[in-house]
C-alpha cells in the first residue's frame, strides 16, 4: 500500500483501461479481467474521457456497477475541457458514463492552454459540489509541478501520472525524488512499455531475470518499478490470465544479482531528462 498526500491509502498496483471497451467482441473478456483484478485487490481503476471517446468509461461503469465501494476510481479531463466553462460539464459526462456520483480522483490529462490557477479553481469547485473527492495531474514535468505547488490551492494536487517503465527511467533523476519528499505517489502509466508492442518485454536482460524466477518478463518489468517507493503502477490487461500474472508480480522479490542485470541493461538516469510522454 501507499498513501496519497491527503492520507488516503491505495494499492501500489492498479488497472489501466486505455483501448478497453473499443471492440464489442472483446468486451466480455475485458470486463472479466477488470473484475478479477478487483477480486485480487487491484482496486484502483484508471480511465479517461479520452479513451475510446468515453467507451472505456462505459465499460468500467459496467464492471463497477455493483462494486462501487470497492473501487478507487480515477478519470481524466481533456486539457481543452479543463477551463472554467467546460470542466464541470466534462466531469458530469464522465460520471454519467461511469454510472457513479463521484470520482475518487480527477486528473488533468496533460498540460492545458488554460492557466493552472483556473484549472485548480475548477477542481476545487468540483470538490465543493461533491463530484470529485480530490484532483491531480498527468504528464507534467518537475518545473510544472513546482509551479503548481506555488499556486493557491496547489498543494491539493495528489499525484502526477507519468510514463514510467524499465526502458524509460528519466523520472528517477528528479521528479520521483521530488514526489517522494512530499509523500506524493506518482502513477506509472505504460509500466509494461505497452506490452508486446514496444519490444521491452522481449529484452534479453528481462528474459534472463524472468527465467531465474520462472516468471514472465512482464512480471519482472512490474516488480522492478514497484521496488521504488511511491510508485503506483497501472498496467492495462484485457485477459484474466494477464491480470492474474500482474497481481502475482507483487510477490516477486528481486535480489542484487537480478538488479545488476537489469541496471546494466536499463541504466538509471545520470542527468535530467525531458519527461517521456506517449
Ligand atoms: P501497458 O500497461 O504498458 O501495456 C499494456 C499491454 O500489455 C497490453 O497489450 C496488454 O495485453 C499487455 N499485458 C498486460 N499484462 C500483461 C502480462 N501479464 N503479460 C504480457 N502482456 C501483458 O500500456 P498502457 O495501456 O499504455 O498503460 C497502462 C495504463 O496507463 C493505460 O491503460 C491507461 O489507463 C494509462 N495511461 C495513461 C496515459 C496518460 O497520458 N496519462 C498514457 C498512457 C496510458 P492485453 O491487453 O492483451 O492483456
Amino acid at each position: 500500500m501507499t498513501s496519497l498526500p491527503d492520507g488516503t491509502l491505495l494499492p501500489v498496483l492498479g488497472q489501466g483501461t486505455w483501448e478497453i471497451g473499443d471492440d464489442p467482441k472483446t468486451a466480455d473478456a475485458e470486463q472479466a479481467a477488470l473484475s478479477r483484478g478487483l477480486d485480487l485487490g487491484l482496486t484502483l481503476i484508471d480511465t479517461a474521457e479520452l479513451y475510446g471517446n468515453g467507451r472505456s468509461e462505459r465499460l468500467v461503469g459496467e464492471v463497477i456497477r455493483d462494486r462501487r465501494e470497492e473501487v478507487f476510481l480515477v478519470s481524466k479531463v481533456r486539457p481543452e475541457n479543463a477551463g472554467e466553462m467546460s470542466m464541470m460539464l466534462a466531469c458530469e459526462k464522465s460520471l454519467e458514463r461511469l454510472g457513479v456520483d463521484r470520482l475518487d480522483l480527477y486528473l488533468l490529462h496533460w498540460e492545458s492552454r488554460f492557466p493552472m490557477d483556473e484549472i485548480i479553481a475548477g477542481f476545487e469547485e468540483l470538490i465543493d459540489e461533491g463530484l470529485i473527492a480530490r484532483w491531480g495531474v498527468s504528464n507534467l514535468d518537475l518545473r510544472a509541478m513546482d509551479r503548481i505547488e506555488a499556486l493557491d490551492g496547489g498543494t491539493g494536487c495528489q499525484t502526477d501520472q507519468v510514463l514510467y517503465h524499465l526502458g524509460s527511467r528519466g523520472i528517477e533523476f528528479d521528479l520521483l525524488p521530488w514526489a517522494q519528499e512530499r509523500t506524493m505517489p506518482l502513477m506509472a502509466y505504460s509500466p509494461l512499455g505497452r506490452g508486446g508492442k514496444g519490444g521491452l518485454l522481449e529484452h534479453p536482460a528481462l528474459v534472463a531475470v524472468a527465467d531465474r524466477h520462472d516468471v514472465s518478463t512482464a512480471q519482472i518489468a512490474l516488480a522492478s518499478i514497484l521496488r521504488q517507493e511511491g510508485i503506483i503502477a497501472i498496467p492495462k490487461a484485457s485477459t484474466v490470465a494477464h491480470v492474474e500474472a500482474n497481481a502475482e508480480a507483487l510477490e516477486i522479490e528481486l535480489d542484487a544479482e537480478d538488479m545488476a542485470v537489469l541496471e546494466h541493461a536499463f541504466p538509471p538516469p545520470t542527468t535530467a531528462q525531458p519527461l517521456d510522454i506517449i
Side-chain angles (χ1 to χ4, degrees):
M1 298 293 269
T2 190
S3 161
L4 292 176
D6 73 4
T8 306
L9 286 178
L10 291 179
V12 294
L13 189 60
Q15 306 192 75
T17 65
W18 184 19
E19 294 174 342
I20 271 182
D22 282 351
D23 181 353
K25 290 197 285 295
T26 53
D28 285 351
E30 291 162 352
Q31 285 190 31
L34 284 165
S35 298
R36 181 72 182 127
L38 294 182
D39 298 341
L40 294 169
L42 312 190
T43 50
L44 184 157
I45 298 185
D46 176 76
T47 183
E49 61 171 332
L50 177 76
Y51 299 162
N53 268 325
R55 286 191 293 273
S56 166
E57 288 181 328
R58 280 200 196 85
L59 186 135
V60 169
E62 289 297 316
V63 172
I64 67 173
R65 191 184 305 179
D66 299 319
R67 308 182 72 171
R68 174 67 187 98
E69 65 294 345
E70 292 174 52
V71 179
F72 186 88
L73 188 57
V74 185
S75 192
K76 311 186 200 79
V77 60
R78 296 170 70 124
E80 65 268 31
N81 288 342
E84 199 182 344
M85 310 300 286
S86 45
M87 182 140 60
M88 175 90 60
L89 184 62
C91 183
E92 283 169 348
K93 286 183 179 168
S94 282
L95 292 173
E96 194 181 324
R97 285 188 290 265
L98 286 158
V100 300
D101 299 330
R102 192 170 79 144
L103 293 171
D104 298 302
L105 179 62
Y106 199 32
L107 306 180
L108 173 67
H109 207 146
W110 63 90
E111 191 128 33
S112 171
R113 68 187 164 84
F114 294 109
M116 201 61 214
D117 51 358
E118 179 180 331
I119 296 171
I120 293 173
F123 281 137
E124 286 176 343
E125 193 183 346
L126 294 179
I127 291 173
D128 290 345
E129 294 293 322
L131 302 190
I132 68 171
R134 50 190 76 74
W135 64 273
V137 295
S138 177
N139 292 307
L140 295 193
D141 64 11
L142 180 59
R143 280 179 57 191
M145 294 306 285
D146 264 333
R147 281 199 298 267
I148 288 177
E149 191 178 48
L151 291 171
D152 257 4
T155 52
C157 182
Q158 299 297 313
T159 192
D160 187 9
Q161 184 180 115
V162 290
L163 178 72
Y164 181 47
H165 57 72
L166 256 186
S168 175
R169 298 180 60 178
I171 64 164
E172 288 176 30
F173 187 78
D174 47 15
L175 184 61
L176 182 58
W178 180 95
Q180 285 167 338
E181 270 171 35
R182 288 153 178 80
T183 59
M184 174 194 285
L186 297 180
M187 233 176 255
Y189 75 68
S190 306
L192 302 172
R194 293 192 56 70
K197 290 165 203 150
L200 175 73
L201 301 185
E202 284 89 51
H203 194 286
L206 268 178
V207 173
V209 175
D211 286 350
R212 282 191 77 213
H213 287 262
D214 198 18
V215 298
S216 71
T217 53
Q219 290 172 308
I220 297 297
L222 284 178
S224 68
I225 63 167
L226 289 173
R227 290 175 85 247
Q228 296 281 359
E229 186 195 319
I231 287 291
I232 298 173
I234 49 167
K236 170 258 192 179
S238 39
T239 65
V240 167
H242 277 168
V243 91
E244 288 178 345
N246 294 344
E248 283 166 18
L250 288 167
E251 309 302 320
I252 298 171
E253 283 185 25
L254 298 173
D255 62 20
E257 198 178 329
D258 299 323
M259 288 316 296
V261 173
L262 295 175
E263 300 273 303
H264 181 70
F266 305 102
T270 53
T271 55
Q273 315 277 317
L275 186 67
D276 263 354
I277 291 179
I278 282 196

